[in-house]
């Protein structure tokens, strides 16, 4: 396969950035740091040259000499050309140090004067290249950078390999790239030292392709289009960029159901081998390229009588991949199929689709081919497409349903019922379900440019609002227009007021207003007989009342769960099923909550409801986290975040939950980064509810990281935000215990006591047993800081037992940890074994590391009688006394930070206050106080 060198770069191209290559580039960097050599390999366009240039730029500064060559196919027949590129500019520096025979042979090869060949001057020339590299290395490290190793002329490749195999410890490194279609890179390793590392570059993921397109200036592409680019390019960066450029330059998008337009540059790249096919074999491949799941049987049914022989010929040329199992035919690369289809004349394509409209066994596939074979409007074709869209929806393929709905609209005459705009709106709603919000928004906006029927206009406005997701502030101007279009129709008004309920919560941060709007929407929907809208409004009202601690919450939940139910609403992420799950979770019924959310997740996956899948994955992760299954929770949270970023749905919610999971069972630095990212995005969206939740995640991660002051700052803001939102149920975020413990660490005991008292009142009123047990754990630490050790021990023991019975595994382990830490301050044996066992059972690795650090015994100090001078410590705050006491035991600032779960900076600041209050100058004076000696 030949790569053309005349691809155009986007006009707004920005500097190169390695996307999706972090792990691979890390492996290459580690090898280069060790002084080794690296061979990058992979198919054409996969990004080898980009990675090569990036690594070369990073490491060329450490080399005294950098030798470069970049071979091309057209010049590969010229002997010694690559050698001239590598050594031509530096040979004069060292030629005087070469033996005469070697110098003569090398000069002849590099200049072309004389008749030097490997046959004639073989040994002298080989030794000359080796000697040159060694001579250059005496001046400092040498880096050889060679791109497109497969086009090196054979003479240069042989000489470079001879020298590389004999360099030994000479400070010469090779950084090379070579094109390979499979794993056949071994022979190219002969041009590198024996211990070289081969690094294969694999295709990019869909998210990485989207990032690449955005980086190169192709912004604003719908996610459905990015998905098609990724599928067609096979994750190849070069192919993806060329497809993106073609879309940017072509104002007419492809018809629904058709492959992407493939630019001429890529067609020439992948179709060169088609010239070796017969005309009949090419037509057979065209039929295969148009089919969704082509098989030989399908080709026969479409009239290709010699399909076996013709597909075998294509496979021999590398156009089709051989499949040892199964009847399916697969193109060697998706781009071959797309380019073959794009190359065919429109009339020939329609003929292929006409044949497949009767040959395909699946009714949905037959309808799609019938549409692509038909020009103009046709009510019969539109009706069949509408039926196919319904079938796809029922099968759980809303994305396919949206595509078929758009095809149906294209073929629907203007005066028929349903009309073309009604079909488009159904397609937009299917796109919302499939997580393709940008496609849905574009369809709705198009309908609004011409629709005059109020029902169509309100329906389109609802799609625009739904497509905005959490960024409802961006569509604030839509609501007055939607209300005006709704008039006095209760059914239409119910739709608008339901969205106004979300606006009240998300934009204005007012649960009370959201509740009132939802209740009004439910009443309107009931008057209109719209049970679906009524259920969604009741579910919202129930959730708001639950979080507000409203006394009507149980009754509203019962109304939302009452029959009849709408099957799709019942499993919707804002439907009654979610309300029931949230109530179970907040009521400490973890096992039943897990069963409920697992069933919901299974159902939305069956229906293809992507947004709901993102949320239920996250909620299942939250359930596992509360149950102390940190490893399982982390896996689920990461899966939810991947899906959220891939679809552009629920990213903030998934990021903040993943932060909690990382802090519990993964990487604390990652937890901090995710929480800050979630908070930043929520702030931009103006979503006060998710700002508070993201800050709760940040505060928790800061507590695990030992940054008690940071925890206090974050969680105080959460407290203020929730007060403004009207949230009074402490089971909603369960951050109160974290804030109380952080306040203990910072010595603010009065605030901690007040927080616990107020929170306990709400928890007692609502029966939140899990919250009460955590508050007892925090209160025990307040008591311990005040010197009430016996009461603290008893309260911690009770809290641990209650948390264990409720099934809160991680909270139980935290109570055991606090208990062990308290016992270490008293005479007699103390052990962290129980806490370590519980954290290990939970797979709570960050917490386990804290236990291991705390369990390290402090250096033994001689026991001395108490000194009257220690009375001076009574005037210190609780945190100051703890820090001073640990200094007296000989603990370093870092050890103190680890044992008290605070930062080293906090230890240093606390010691400064201690010095000032005690009239001393250093930690040595504190030790003297402990020994009963006068500070100097």
């Amino acid at each position: 396969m030949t790569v053309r060198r005349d691809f155009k770069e986007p006009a707004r191209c920005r500097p190169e950035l390695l996307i999706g290559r972090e792990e691979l580039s890390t492996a290459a960097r580690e090898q280069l740091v060790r002084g080794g050599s690296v061979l990058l390999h992979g198919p054409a366009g996969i990004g080898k040259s980009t990675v090569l240039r990036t690594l070369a730029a990073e490491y060329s500064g450490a080399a005294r000499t950098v030798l470069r060559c970049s071979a091309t196919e057209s010049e590969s027949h010229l002997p010694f050309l690559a050698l001239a590129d590598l050594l031509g500019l530096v040979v004069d520096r060292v030629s005087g140090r070469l033996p005469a025979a070697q110098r003569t042979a090398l000069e002849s090869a590099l200049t072309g004067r004389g008749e030097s060949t490997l046959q004639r001057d073989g040994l002298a020339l080989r030794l000359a290249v080796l000697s040159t590299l060694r001579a250059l290395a005496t001046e400092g490290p040498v880096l050889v950078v060679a791109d497109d190793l497969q086009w090196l002329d054979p003479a240069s490749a042989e000489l470079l390999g001879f020298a590389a195999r004999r360099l030994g410890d000479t400070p010469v490194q090779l950084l090379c790239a070579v094109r390979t279609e499979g794993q056949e890179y071994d022979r190219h390793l002969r041009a590198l030292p024996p211990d070289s590392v081969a690094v294969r570059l694999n295709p990019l993921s869909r998210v990485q392709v989207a990032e690449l397109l955005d980086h190169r200036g192709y912004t604003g592409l719908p996610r459905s289009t990015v998905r098609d680019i990724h599928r067609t390019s096979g994750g190849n960066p070069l192919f993806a960029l060329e497809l993106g450029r073609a879309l940017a330059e072509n104002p007419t998008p492809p018809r629904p159901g058709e492959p992407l337009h493939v630019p001429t540059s890529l067609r020439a790249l992948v179709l060169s081998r088609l010239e070796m096919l017969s005309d009949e074999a090419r037509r057979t491949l065209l039929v295969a390229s148009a089919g969704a799941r082509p098989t030989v049987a399908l080709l026969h049914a479409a009239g290709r009588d010699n399909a076996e022989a013709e597909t075998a010929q294509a496979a021999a040329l590398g156009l089709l991949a051989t499949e040892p199992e199964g009847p399916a035919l697969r193109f060697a690369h998706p781009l071959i199929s797309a380019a073959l289809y794009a190359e065919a004349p429109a009339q020939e394509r329609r003929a292929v689709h006409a044949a497949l409209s009767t040959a395909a066994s699946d009714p949905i596939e037959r309808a799609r081919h019938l549409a692509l074979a038909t020009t103009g409007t046709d009510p019969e074709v539109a009706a069949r497409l509408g039926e196919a869209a319904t079938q796809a929806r029922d099968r759980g393929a809303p994305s396919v349903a949206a595509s078929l709905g758009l095809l149906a609209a294209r073929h629907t005459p203007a005066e028929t019922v349903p009309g073309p705009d009604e079909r488009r709106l159904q397609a937009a709603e299917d796109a919302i379900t499939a997580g393709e919000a940008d496609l849905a928004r574009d369809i709705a906006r198009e309908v609004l440019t011409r629709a005059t029927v109020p029902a169509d206009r309100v329906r389109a406005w609802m799609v625009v609002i739904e497509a905005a997701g959490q960024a409802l502030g961006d569509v604030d101007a839509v609501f007055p227009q939607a209300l005006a279009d709704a008039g006095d129709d209760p059914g239409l008004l119910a739709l608008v007021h339901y969205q106004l309920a979300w606006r009240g919560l998300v934009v204005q941060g007012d649960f009370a207003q959201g509740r009132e709007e939802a209740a009004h929407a439910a009443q309107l929907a009931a008057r209109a007989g719209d049970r679906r809208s009524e259920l969604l409004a009741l579910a919202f009202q129930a959730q708001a009342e639950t979080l507000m601690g409203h006394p009507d919450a149980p009754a509203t939940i019962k109304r939302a769960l009452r029959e009849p139910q709408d099957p799709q609403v019942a499993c919707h992420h804002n439907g009654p099923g979610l309300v029931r799950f949230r109530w179970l979770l907040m009521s400490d019924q973890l096992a039943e909550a897990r069963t409920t959310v697992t069933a919901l997740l299974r159902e939305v996956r069956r229906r293809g409801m992507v947004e709901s899948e993102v949320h239920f994955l996250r909620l299942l992760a939250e359930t596992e986290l509360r149950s102390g299954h940190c490893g399982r929770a982390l896996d689920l949270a990461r899966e939810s975040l991947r899906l959220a970023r891939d679809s552009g749905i629920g990213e903030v919610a998934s990021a903040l939950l993943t932060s909690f999971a990382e802090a519990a069972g993964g990487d604390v630095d990652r937890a901090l980064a995710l929480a800050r990212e979630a908070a930043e995005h929520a702030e931009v969206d103006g979503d006060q509810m998710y700002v508070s939740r993201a800050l709760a995640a940040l505060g928790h991660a800061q507590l695990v990281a030992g940054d008690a002051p940071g925890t206090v700052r974050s969680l105080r803001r959460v407290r203020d935000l929730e007060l403004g939102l009207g949230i009074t149920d402490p089971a909603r975020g369960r951050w109160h215990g974290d804030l109380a413990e952080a306040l203990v660490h910072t010595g603010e005991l009065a605030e901690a006591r007040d927080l616990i008292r107020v929170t306990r009142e709400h928890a007692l009123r609502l029966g939140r047993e899990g919250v009460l047990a955590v508050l007892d754990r925090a209160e025990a630490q307040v008591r311990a800081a005040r010197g009430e050790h016996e009461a603290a021990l008893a309260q911690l023991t009770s809290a641990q037992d209650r948390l264990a019975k409720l099934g809160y595994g991680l909270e139980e382990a935290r109570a055991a940890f606090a208990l062990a830490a308290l016992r270490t301050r008293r005479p007699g044996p103390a052990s962290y074994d129980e806490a370590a066992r519980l954290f290990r059972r939970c797979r709570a690795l960050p917490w386990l590391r804290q236990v291991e650090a705390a369990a390290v015994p402090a250096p033994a100090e001689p026991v001395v009688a108490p000194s009257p001078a220690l009375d001076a410590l009574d005037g210190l705050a609780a945190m100051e006394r703890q820090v001073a006491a640990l200094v007296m035991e000989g603990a370093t600032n870092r050890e103190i930070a680890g044992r008290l779960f605070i930062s080293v900076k906090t230890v240093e600041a606390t010691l400064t206050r201690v010095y000032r209050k005690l009239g001393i100058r250093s930690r040595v004076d504190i030790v003297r106080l402990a020994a009963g000696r006068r500070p100097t």
Side-chain angles (χ1 to χ4, degrees):
M1 188 181 292
T2 303
V3 177
R4 292 162 56 94
R5 294 290 180 179
D6 58 350
F7 290 108
K8 298 178 182 177
E9 286 293 328
R12 291 175 292 164
C13 179
R14 289 176 278 177
E16 281 186 336
L17 175 73
L18 290 186
I19 294 173
R21 305 302 188 196
E22 293 80 7
E23 185 176 344
L24 297 176
S25 57
T26 297
R29 287 185 177 99
E30 289 175 352
Q31 172 71 355
L32 292 169
V33 167
R34 290 192 295 266
S37 297
V38 173
L39 176 67
L40 305 170
H41 67 102
I46 203 67
K48 301 179 299 297
S49 296
T50 300
V51 177
L52 184 82
R53 286 193 296 270
T54 301
L55 292 174
E58 290 180 13
Y59 288 92
S60 59
R64 171 69 173 80
T65 304
V66 180
L67 310 176
R68 301 176 185 270
C69 73
S70 182
T72 61
E73 183 180 13
S74 62
E75 298 169 340
S76 60
H77 66 285
L78 299 174
F80 306 124
L81 186 61
L83 187 68
D85 289 341
L86 288 171
L87 302 181
L89 297 178
V90 298
V91 68
D92 290 342
R93 281 165 41 191
V94 297
S95 60
R97 286 179 265 171
L98 302 182
Q102 294 180 24
R103 183 170 60 252
T104 300
L106 184 59
E107 290 176 351
S108 176
L110 295 180
T111 61
R113 295 190 294 270
E115 298 180 359
S116 180
T117 65
L118 280 178
Q119 288 73 30
R120 174 180 171 181
D121 302 314
L123 182 59
L125 197 49
R126 290 176 173 87
L127 293 174
V129 174
L130 177 60
S131 299
T132 300
L133 292 175
R134 285 175 172 167
L136 291 170
T138 61
E139 302 172 358
V142 177
L143 178 65
V144 178
V145 182
D147 198 4
D148 282 319
L149 212 59
Q150 74 278 0
W151 301 135
L152 246 65
D153 61 274
S156 296
E158 205 285 329
L159 291 170
L160 187 60
F162 175 88
R165 291 189 294 274
R166 291 163 176 79
L167 286 170
D169 295 332
T170 306
V172 176
Q173 294 175 268
L174 278 72
L175 176 59
C176 305
V178 64
R179 181 189 307 172
T180 55
E181 295 304 324
Q183 294 292 330
E184 70 282 6
Y185 59 88
D186 290 354
R187 64 187 180 88
H188 298 289
L189 280 173
R190 291 198 296 269
L192 279 76
D195 59 349
S196 299
V197 168
V199 177
R200 179 171 179 80
L201 275 68
N202 293 313
L204 300 180
S205 68
R206 190 196 308 183
V207 174
Q208 291 162 349
V209 165
E211 185 181 355
L212 175 67
L213 291 167
D214 181 69
H215 177 70
R216 292 300 183 93
Y218 302 129
T219 57
L221 291 174
R223 290 184 183 275
S224 55
T225 301
V226 174
R227 178 195 61 202
D228 291 341
I229 289 175
H230 175 258
R231 182 177 61 243
T232 303
S233 68
N236 185 294
L238 176 64
F239 298 170
L241 287 172
E242 283 296 291
L243 291 168
R245 179 173 66 84
L247 282 168
E249 294 177 353
N250 187 357
T252 305
R255 294 173 62 190
E258 284 189 349
L260 292 176
H261 172 71
V262 179
T264 304
S265 57
L266 289 185
R267 293 186 205 177
L269 175 65
V270 300
L271 297 182
S272 57
R273 282 167 287 180
L274 283 179
E275 299 172 358
M276 304 174 67
L277 285 175
S278 65
D279 290 342
E280 291 301 310
R282 183 168 181 151
R283 291 193 188 95
T284 295
L285 282 193
L286 178 60
V287 176
S289 73
R293 293 174 297 277
T295 63
V296 172
L298 177 67
L299 296 178
H300 277 301
R304 307 310 303 166
D305 297 332
N306 297 318
E308 288 91 344
E310 289 159 355
T311 54
Q313 182 185 2
L317 290 172
L319 295 166
L320 290 177
T322 55
E323 296 286 353
E325 299 178 3
L329 296 171
R330 184 171 63 84
F331 282 88
H333 192 283
L335 190 61
I336 297 174
S337 172
L340 182 64
Y341 186 91
E343 190 83 357
Q347 184 176 356
E348 192 173 348
R349 284 190 237 163
R350 286 196 295 271
V352 165
H353 286 299
L356 288 170
S357 69
T358 58
S361 59
D362 185 87
I364 294 176
E365 188 67 8
R366 287 199 301 271
R368 184 180 76 88
H369 287 300
L370 179 62
L372 295 175
T374 305
T375 57
T377 59
D378 186 321
E380 183 178 346
V381 172
R384 285 186 58 182
L385 285 164
E387 293 169 3
T390 301
Q391 289 179 305
R393 198 175 303 118
D394 292 342
R395 289 184 189 178
S399 180
V400 175
S403 176
L404 291 168
L406 290 175
L407 283 172
R410 183 185 291 270
H411 293 289
T412 300
E415 303 304 321
T416 59
V417 177
D421 280 347
E422 188 173 348
R423 293 194 187 279
R424 288 188 182 93
L425 287 171
Q426 180 61 64
E429 290 164 356
D430 286 329
I432 287 285
T433 303
E436 298 178 5
D438 43 7
L439 173 61
R441 181 180 55 249
D442 291 345
I443 296 170
R445 292 287 188 187
E446 180 192 352
V447 170
L448 284 166
T449 60
R450 56 176 176 270
T452 57
V453 177
D456 287 349
R457 291 189 62 81
V458 172
R459 194 174 169 189
W461 288 126
M462 295 304 99
V463 170
V464 172
I465 293 170
E466 287 279 356
Q470 297 298 124
L472 287 179
D474 294 347
V475 293
D476 222 18
V478 165
F479 290 98
Q481 300 177 69
L483 283 170
D485 285 331
D488 57 0
D489 186 315
L492 299 180
L493 285 170
L495 297 175
V496 182
H497 281 282
Y498 172 69
Q499 295 296 347
L500 281 169
W502 281 105
R503 179 183 176 276
L505 173 60
V506 172
V507 178
Q508 296 183 302
D510 191 334
F511 266 88
Q513 181 180 343
R515 173 185 175 272
E516 290 175 8
E517 289 284 4
H520 185 41
Q523 293 170 358
L524 289 166
R527 280 174 48 197
D530 182 357
R531 182 60 173 162
R532 181 182 189 278
S533 296
E534 182 186 10
L535 287 169
L536 285 170
L538 285 171
F540 182 101
Q541 182 184 345
Q543 281 213 75
E545 289 174 350
T546 298
L547 296 175
M548 294 167 66
H550 196 285
D552 291 349
T556 307
I557 291 173
K558 288 180 180 178
R559 288 174 61 200
L561 294 171
R562 192 178 300 155
E563 296 294 338
Q565 288 287 321
D566 180 296
Q568 186 145 351
V569 174
C571 65
H572 192 273
H573 60 278
N574 288 323
L578 174 72
V579 173
R580 181 171 183 271
F581 161 78
R582 183 61 70 187
W583 179 265
L584 291 168
L585 192 65
M586 294 174 68
S587 302
D588 305 312
Q589 301 178 60
L590 294 180
E592 195 170 350
R594 181 187 295 106
T595 301
T596 299
V597 74
T598 300
L600 289 168
L601 179 59
R602 186 185 307 115
E603 181 63 14
V604 298
R605 279 175 165 167
R606 187 185 72 80
R607 292 176 176 272
M609 299 167 66
V610 175
E611 184 171 5
S612 295
E613 181 181 358
V614 170
H615 287 289
F616 288 137
L617 270 171
R618 172 176 57 82
L619 294 173
L620 180 56
E622 182 180 351
T623 308
E624 298 292 359
L625 192 57
R626 299 209 183 284
S627 302
H629 305 151
C630 299
R632 168 78 171 146
L634 185 57
D635 290 342
L636 288 166
R638 286 172 174 172
E639 183 182 354
S640 172
L641 184 57
R642 282 194 298 270
L643 184 58
R645 286 180 168 165
D646 194 20
S647 61
I649 294 171
E651 293 182 70
V652 171
S654 293
L656 70 87
L657 194 279
T658 307
S659 172
F660 275 115
E662 291 282 359
D667 183 280
V668 179
D669 289 337
R670 172 82 171 146
L672 291 165
L674 283 168
R676 291 189 175 105
E677 173 192 329
E680 180 181 344
H681 283 299
E683 294 270 18
V684 170
D685 290 342
D687 188 338
Q688 297 302 298
M689 182 175 66
Y690 273 114
V691 169
S692 74
R693 297 184 68 184
L695 288 172
L698 177 59
H700 179 75
Q702 288 168 323
L703 183 68
V704 178
D707 180 10
T711 300
V712 170
R713 286 193 300 273
S714 297
L715 297 186
R716 276 176 176 162
R717 190 174 172 207
V718 174
R719 180 179 59 192
D720 295 342
L721 285 168
E722 291 202 353
L723 186 63
L725 287 165
I727 297 173
T728 61
D729 193 332
R732 183 255 186 179
R734 299 178 187 258
W735 48 265
H736 311 76
D738 285 349
L739 177 54
E741 291 183 24
L743 288 168
V744 172
H745 294 321
T746 57
E748 297 164 274
L749 301 185
E751 184 179 346
R753 286 198 306 271
D754 289 343
L755 170 68
I756 292 168
R757 176 183 54 79
V758 172
T759 308
R760 180 176 280 122
E761 290 174 1
H762 291 301
L764 284 168
R765 176 173 58 86
L766 297 168
R768 303 308 192 209
E769 291 298 326
V771 173
L772 289 168
V774 169
L775 290 174
D776 279 354
R777 185 185 68 204
E779 188 174 46
Q781 294 181 61
V782 173
R783 287 179 166 175
R786 296 171 60 189
E788 302 171 18
H789 294 288
E790 295 300 333
L793 284 169
Q795 194 169 20
L796 273 173
T797 302
S798 172
Q800 181 183 347
D801 183 57
R802 288 155 57 205
L803 289 166
K805 289 177 180 177
L806 290 169
Y808 289 105
L810 184 57
E811 301 295 351
E812 176 196 358
R814 288 179 61 180
F817 189 17
L819 198 56
L822 184 57
R823 284 172 175 156
T824 59
R825 304 174 198 173
R826 300 180 58 77
S831 172
Y832 286 92
D833 290 349
E834 173 71 359
R837 180 184 68 80
L838 292 174
F839 281 132
R840 197 173 290 113
R841 183 184 69 184
C842 294
R843 283 186 58 194
L845 302 182
W847 288 103
L848 188 59
R849 285 191 285 271
Q850 288 193 25
V851 172
E852 291 169 347
V856 175
E861 293 285 346
V863 178
V864 297
S867 167
L870 292 180
D871 293 341
L873 298 186
D874 292 341
L876 301 178
M879 174 61 70
E880 294 165 352
R881 284 200 306 273
Q882 293 180 60
V883 171
L886 290 171
V887 170
M888 292 175 181
E889 295 175 11
T892 65
N893 287 1
R894 185 169 296 279
E895 289 168 345
I896 295 170
R899 291 176 67 174
L900 297 181
F901 311 120
I902 59 178
S903 68
V904 174
K905 287 186 177 179
T906 301
V907 174
E908 293 168 350
T910 304
L911 279 174
T912 300
R913 294 196 300 272
V914 169
Y915 300 155
R916 185 174 65 250
K917 289 182 178 181
L918 297 183
I920 59 179
R921 292 179 293 180
S922 70
R923 59 191 295 127
V924 175
D925 290 337
I926 295 180
V927 175
R928 288 195 176 102
L929 278 175
R933 298 195 301 270
R934 181 184 299 277
T936 57

